[in-house]
């Protein structure tokens, strides 16, 4: 729902806060293992470049998707070699 909290899924450092064409306001966080976490579709950003975040920390408020269809969070994880990683596999690996 528009205005819902968007929270970080990882520890890390905010590397980018910007509008991203077609995705709305975007936050990119670099995790300790070098992976990048992207959160897009936000209406309000609550962090700045250089901020340190922890899992569950509020980083943004969800907005209405620029692509239509209401509020949507776009989330992806990109590994150190540029490959996209299935979040379920990433977190099951990190819990092992």
């Amino acid at each position: 729902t528009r205005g819902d909290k968007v929270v970080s899924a990882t520890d890390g450092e905010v590397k980018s806060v910007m509008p991203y064409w077609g995705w709305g306001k975007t936050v990119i966080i670099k995790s300790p293992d070098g992976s990048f976490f992207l959160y897009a579709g936000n209406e309000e950003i609550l962090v700045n470049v250089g901020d340190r975040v922890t899992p569950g920390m509020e980083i943004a408020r969800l907005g209405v998707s620029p692509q239509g269809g209401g509020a949507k969070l776009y989330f992806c994880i990109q590994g150190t070699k540029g490959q996209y990683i299935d979040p379920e596999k990433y977190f099951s690996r990190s819990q092992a």
Side-chain angles (χ1 to χ4, degrees), residues 7-85:
V7 300
S8 179
T10 186
D11 288 316
E13 181 181 350
V14 177
K15 289 296 188 178
S16 180
V17 173
M18 64 183 175
Y20 195 96
W21 185 82
W23 283 10
K25 295 178 182 175
T26 303
V27 176
I28 298 175
I29 297 170
K30 185 175 183 181
S31 70
D33 72 0
S35 298
F36 289 92
F37 287 66
L38 178 139
Y39 306 80
N42 302 297
E43 180 172 80
E44 181 182 7
I45 303 295
L46 304 174
V47 292
N48 296 297
V49 172
D51 287 354
R52 303 289 305 171
V53 298
T54 56
M57 182 176 172
E58 186 176 5
I59 59 172
R61 294 284 178 148
L62 192 59
V64 175
S65 171
Q67 297 177 11
K72 294 180 187 172
L73 176 66
Y74 298 92
F75 173 76
C76 69
I77 304 170
Q78 191 171 22
T80 57
K81 297 178 184 171
Q83 78 283 19
Y84 289 96
I85 301 171

